[in-house]
């Protein structure tokens, strides 16, 4: 027996638009969202996490499969997708991030489609614009990781859930279960959509039979995903850097989960929600239904991650809940429409929202926006100034963020290919790991006399200027105490030029 979820009359301002105009809403919002995220994509340096994506996704598939047995299984499907992407596009700052910007566009289209199913056209299109401007979204659209694709999966799986309830046919229920399992392989936290969809079914399904069929399907999807979830537990060491829950956690939820530390956007959203609550007595059935679904979408995954972090292992981190950003956008949009009332008022509030998000948006696109890392700037120096046959020394004593220094090379490997990297140990593929091994500089000192020049990458020295050039520059207190400098200096190498960035310094030494 099939069900019908009947759309209620639109309650927006003015007359109901033509069907053809409504059908284009998702398209123009998708283009707008993708463009907003893609703008400035080439400027920020690549960083540790993006280097991991490039390292894993550009290796042969059999080697990728072996690596996943050791590390990053939770990103395996994403790496497979990016393997296909990098087969077409180069692994540069812009082209690698364009994949995420396009995913944001697809997710924004899903927000509009879902908003139209749960509310009015005006709320739906407003939600699409809010989603495009939300700091967590503009961050994900500029990150070569699975967060943007997780948003796509989250919103379109929710649309699929509504479609399946309407059709109520076995093949559609099977498709929903398989899609949920695949989504979990893409991002392990997407399995938390199952309890969210339980709320969606409770408020949207017309018959008990449909609710039962969803429950059986959800159990089957959960069972199908369980082996992967259990295997992922064996690699929890990867998130040992996440701190246990403490007093900062509440601030992370309120300020970072959707706003990427943008205080103006967080405060404005709080004011909009408070104003929306004042109009709650006037809310219709559609609005109450939308609130129920979006609040569940935000709250349930957050509470589950917090509980898991408290009881078993710390895993809560704001960006891990990026797939709930569509819900935040829908809830904010509903409040904007309720408070703005007219199209002019709604437009004004969207402009204010955009202005509040602008400082964070610009900061996200700064040269060192990715945790202050400067992988790309180092690679640019090598590309422009190093000659083929020069030698490379990586100072492994650096307090690199967040791990060893070798990931720097994985972000832009082609830039360093012309250099002799005698300090490179077993390759990442040989190790079934993300990064190459490292050999201490003194172990290959006998090869140094044959080096026309030595390029040393070390940690920034705050006592020295950003650029120096001369016949024999001082090593500086930071570089001078390292073997990366002391061993070459014994063979007569002296620093003749230095570049310093956010975290790294690069020196050229000759004899």
């Amino acid at each position: 027996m099939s069900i019908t979820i009947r759309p209620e009359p639109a309650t927006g301002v003015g007359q109901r638009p033509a069907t053809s105009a409504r059908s284009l809403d998702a398209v123009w919002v998708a283009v707008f969202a993708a463009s907003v995220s893609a703008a400035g994509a080439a400027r920020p340096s690549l960083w540790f996490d993006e280097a991991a994506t490039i390292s894993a996704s550009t290796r042969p598939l059999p080697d990728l499969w072996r690596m996943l047995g050791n590390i990053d299984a939770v990103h395996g499907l994403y790496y497979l997708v990016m393997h296909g992407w990098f087969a077409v596009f180069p692994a540069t700052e812009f082209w690698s991030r364009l994949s995420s910007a396009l995913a944001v566009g697809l997710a924004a289209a899903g927000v509009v489609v879902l908003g139209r199913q749960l509310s009015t056209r005006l709320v739906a299109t407003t939600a699409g614009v809010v989603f495009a401007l939300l700091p967590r979204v503009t961050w994900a659209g500029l990150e070569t990781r699975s967060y943007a694709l997780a948003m796509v999966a989250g919103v379109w799986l929710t649309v699929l859930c509504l479609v399946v309830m309407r059709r109520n046919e076995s093949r559609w229920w099977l498709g929903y279960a398989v899609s949920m399992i695949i989504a979990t392989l893409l991002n392990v936290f997407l399995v938390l959509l199952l309890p969210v969809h339980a709320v969606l079914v409770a408020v949207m399904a017309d018959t008990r039979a449909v609710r039962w069929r969803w429950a059986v399907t959800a159990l089957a999807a959960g069972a199908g995903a369980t082996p992967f979830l259990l295997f992922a537990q064996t690699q929890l060491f990867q998130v040992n850097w996440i701190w246990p829950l403490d007093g900062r956690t509440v601030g992370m939820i309120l300020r970072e989960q959707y706003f990427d530390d943008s205080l103006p956007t967080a405060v404005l959203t709080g004011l909009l929600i408070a104003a929306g609550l004042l109009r709650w007595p006037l809310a219709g059935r559609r609005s109450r239904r939308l609130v129920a679904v979006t609040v569940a979408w935000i709250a349930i995954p957050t509470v589950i991650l917090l509980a898991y972090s408290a009881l078993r292992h710390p895993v809560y981190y704001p960006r891990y809940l990026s797939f709930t950003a569509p819900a935040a956008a829908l809830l904010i949009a509903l409040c904007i429409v309720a408070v703005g009332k007219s199209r002019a008022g709604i437009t004004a509030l969207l402009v204010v929202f955009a202005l509040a998000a602008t400082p964070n948006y610009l900061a996200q696109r700064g040269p060192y926006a990715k945790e202050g890392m400067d992988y790309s700037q180092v690679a640019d120096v090598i590309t422009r100034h190093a000659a083929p046959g020069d030698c490379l020394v990586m100072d492994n004593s650096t307090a690199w963020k967040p791990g060893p220094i070798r990931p720097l090379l994985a972000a832009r490997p082609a830039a360093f290919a012309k250099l002799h990297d005698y300090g490179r140990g077993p390759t990442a593929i040989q190790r079934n790991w993300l990064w190459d091994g490292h050999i201490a500089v003194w172990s290959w000192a006998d090869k140094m006399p044959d080096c026309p020049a030595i390029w040393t990458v070390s940690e920034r020295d705050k006592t020295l200027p950003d650029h120096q050039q001369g016949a024999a520059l001082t090593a500086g207190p930071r570089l001078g105490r390292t073997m990366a400098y002391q061993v070459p200096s014994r063979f007569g190498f002296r620093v003749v030029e230095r570049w310093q960035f956010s975290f790294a310094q690069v020196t050229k030494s000759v004899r």
Side-chain angles (χ1 to χ4, degrees), residues 142-328:
L142 202 70
E143 182 78 355
T144 312
R145 295 298 272 176
S146 65
Y147 303 109
L149 276 179
M151 294 177 185
V152 174
V155 70
W156 283 105
L157 271 172
T158 306
V159 172
L160 177 62
C161 187
L162 289 172
V163 172
V164 171
M165 283 193 290
R166 286 197 189 97
R167 295 183 177 269
N168 196 26
E169 298 173 3
S170 297
R171 60 193 179 96
W172 283 92
W173 289 110
L174 177 62
Y176 172 77
V178 172
S179 298
M180 185 62 70
I181 294 171
I182 293 173
T184 305
L185 296 177
L186 174 69
N187 186 300
V188 68
F189 297 117
L190 283 168
V191 73
L192 301 178
L193 282 175
L194 285 173
V196 174
H197 288 176
V199 175
L200 179 70
V201 171
V203 301
M204 297 293 289
D206 288 339
T207 67
R208 182 178 297 178
V210 168
R211 296 187 182 99
W212 274 110
R213 293 195 75 173
W214 178 86
V216 172
T217 304
L219 287 173
T226 294
F228 177 70
L229 297 175
L230 293 175
F231 182 73
Q233 296 288 307
T234 67
Q235 296 183 358
L236 276 176
F237 65 87
Q238 291 183 245
V239 292
N240 283 341
W241 54 269
I242 298 180
W243 291 12
L245 303 183
D246 57 22
R248 295 168 297 178
T249 305
V250 174
M252 292 169 69
I253 296 170
L254 297 178
R255 188 166 167 170
E256 295 184 37
Q257 190 160 302
Y258 302 112
F259 309 114
D260 191 34
D261 215 26
S262 172
L263 184 59
T265 315
V267 171
L268 176 60
T269 298
L271 293 174
L272 287 170
I273 291 175
L277 288 174
L278 294 176
R279 297 184 59 81
W280 181 253
L282 303 176
R285 177 171 171 263
R286 268 193 151 189
S287 295
R288 293 175 183 272
R289 189 171 60 189
L290 179 62
V291 169
V293 172
T294 54
V295 169
W297 195 344
I298 293 169
I300 293 175
T302 303
V303 170
I304 291 175
L305 278 194
L306 291 173
Y308 188 94
S309 297
L311 299 175
R312 180 171 171 81
H313 191 287
V315 294
Y316 173 79
Y317 203 64
R319 65 185 62 163
Y320 290 171
L321 288 158
S322 296
F323 69 93
T324 66

Side-chain angles (χ1 to χ4, degrees), residues 313-403:
H313 191 287
V315 294
Y316 173 79
Y317 203 64
R319 65 185 62 163
Y320 290 171
L321 288 158
S322 296
F323 69 93
T324 66
L330 284 163
L331 183 60
I332 295 168
L334 180 64
C335 295
I336 287 176
V337 171
V339 174
K341 299 180 183 179
S342 66
R343 291 190 186 276
I346 293 167
T347 301
L349 287 174
L350 285 174
V351 170
V352 172
F353 191 88
L355 291 173
T358 296
N360 180 268
Y361 178 83
L362 296 177
Q364 288 174 347
R365 281 143 183 81
Y368 309 126
K370 304 291 186 179
E371 307 290 341
M373 294 193 191
D374 44 20
Y375 290 8
S376 296
Q377 286 77 10
V378 173
D380 288 342
V381 168
I382 299 300
T383 299
R384 294 169 187 161
H385 302 285
D390 288 349
C391 295
L392 178 67
V393 174
M394 303 296 288
D395 175 16
N396 207 41
S397 70
T398 58
W400 214 255
K401 298 184 298 183

Side-chain angles (χ1 to χ4, degrees), residues 99-166:
S99 61
S100 294
L102 294 177
V104 163
L106 185 57
V111 169
V112 175
V113 172
L114 180 60
R116 195 69 186 89
Q117 297 291 320
L118 297 176
S119 188
T120 66
R121 182 193 182 202
L122 192 56
V123 170
T125 52
T126 301
V129 174
V130 169
F131 180 81
L133 300 173
L134 200 63
R136 178 53 61 202
V137 175
T138 57
W139 173 87
L142 202 70
E143 182 78 355
T144 312
R145 295 298 272 176
S146 65
Y147 303 109
L149 276 179
M151 294 177 185
V152 174
V155 70
W156 283 105
L157 271 172
T158 306
V159 172
L160 177 62
C161 187
L162 289 172
V163 172
V164 171
M165 283 193 290
R166 286 197 189 97

